Amino acid sequence: KAGVTQTPRYLIKTRGQQVTLSCSPISGHRSVSWYQQTPGQGLQFLFEYFSETQRNKGNFPGRFSGRQFSNSRSEMNVSTLELGDSALYLCASSTTRGEAFFGQGTRLTVV
Amino acid sequence: DAKTTQPTSMDCAEGRAANLPCNHSTISGNEYVYWYRQIHSQGPQYIIHGLKNNETNEMASLIITEDRKSSTLILPHATLRDTAVYYCIVRVDGNYGQNFVFGPGTRLSVLP
């Protein structure tokens, strides 16, 4: 069974640009969550989608947004990038019982 | 804020059992104890979770005290590849949109 796939693995962007990250969940998983990991703040929850609806949202500014498609694949978008947005962005898909399985992440560097 | 407290770091000799403690004194009756680990720069890996009974799988054992205020993750025969940050998280079970709240975790170093 394929795991959670995140693309791209690495990305370099310039301040002010926008970026879109993609996540393909494990087949059959309808819940997809996104997390940001930085050395200073650790792992922080961004948002969670289930059946194309955002069910939960963390404490991040509106520049961070996401969506989920009918096939459960999800994207997250960050607009007007800031240096502080440099981080490892992790996607997780969850079973009906709630266990979450994480992808390898996308490492975003903003210069 | 994370509802768990864990030691910042621990060492374990290769081949020995690694016992990682976690305190969750404010755990609610419907909250499970989850364990994840993260090897450097990779995504967190699910290890095990449980409610009140001890649990065992191919990776580890989870021992939860009777009052459920603390638990211990046991890696029975630690290897160098078990060197990672281990996170203990409490959360309601089921897929209801509840997120995982990660604390700083315990950095386990398995020494040769």
Side-chain angles (χ1 to χ4, degrees):
Chain A
K1 199 173 188 181
V4 177
T5 304
Q6 292 189 245
T7 56
R9 289 294 311 278
Y10 303 92
L11 204 51
I12 299 175
K13 288 287 189 177
T14 304
R15 273 183 302 174
Q17 287 187 312
Q18 67 93 25
V19 67
T20 299
L21 311 181
S22 180
C23 173
S24 293
I26 293 171
S27 178
H29 290 189
R30 295 166 64 189
S31 167
V32 174
S33 301
W34 289 89
Y35 291 78
Q36 180 198 64
Q37 186 172 30
T38 61
Q41 299 297 319
L43 268 157
Q44 293 188 290
F45 171 72
L46 281 157
F47 29 66
E48 187 259 358
Y49 286 87
F50 181 85
S51 293
E52 302 178 66
T53 301
Q54 186 181 90
R55 280 197 306 191
N56 193 5
K57 188 177 188 303
N59 189 25
F60 278 81
R63 299 186 298 107
F64 292 82
S65 63
R67 59 178 177 168
Q68 186 181 33
F69 302 95
S70 58
N71 62 358
S72 294
R73 189 177 70 84
S74 177
E75 289 181 346
M76 68 162 284
N77 184 278
V78 188
S79 62
T80 319
L81 284 165
E82 300 176 0
L83 295 179
D85 297 333
S86 294
L88 180 66
Y89 289 89
L90 292 157
C91 166
S93 72
S94 296
T95 69
T96 53
R97 285 201 334 151
E99 303 118 60
F101 296 89
F102 287 80
Q104 293 303 302
T106 294
R107 184 163 297 281
L108 172 66
T109 302
V110 182
V111 298
Chain B
D1 289 346
K3 298 175 66 174
T4 63
T5 56
Q6 301 176 251
T8 302
S9 63
M10 292 181 63
D11 291 340
C12 176
E14 189 179 17
R16 304 297 295 270
N19 298 291
L20 292 93
C22 179
N23 287 319
H24 31 79
S25 58
T26 62
I27 191 170
S28 301
N30 63 345
E31 287 181 319
Y32 283 64
V33 179
Y34 282 80
W35 282 85
Y36 281 80
R37 72 180 182 184
Q38 187 173 26
I39 297 169
H40 183 61
S41 293
Q42 297 183 22
Q45 178 188 22
Y46 168 79
I47 301 174
I48 198 166
H49 77 292
L51 182 64
K52 55 184 177 181
N53 297 321
N54 298 337
E55 301 285 344
T56 296
N57 62 21
E58 65 279 4
M59 288 184 67
S61 295
L62 173 61
I63 308 298
I64 303 174
T65 58
E66 193 168 342
D67 63 8
R68 303 210 322 124
K69 292 186 177 181
S70 66
S71 60
T72 301
L73 178 75
I74 301 172
L75 307 178
H77 305 287
T79 70
L80 299 179
R81 288 179 293 180
D82 292 322
T83 292
V85 177
Y86 287 76
Y87 300 99
C88 170
I89 303 163
V90 296
R91 203 199 74 162
V92 295
D93 205 18
N95 196 339
Y96 305 116
Q98 298 283 336
N99 55 285
F100 288 91
V101 179
F102 288 84
T106 296
R107 184 172 298 277
L108 175 69
S109 298
V110 180
L111 307 175

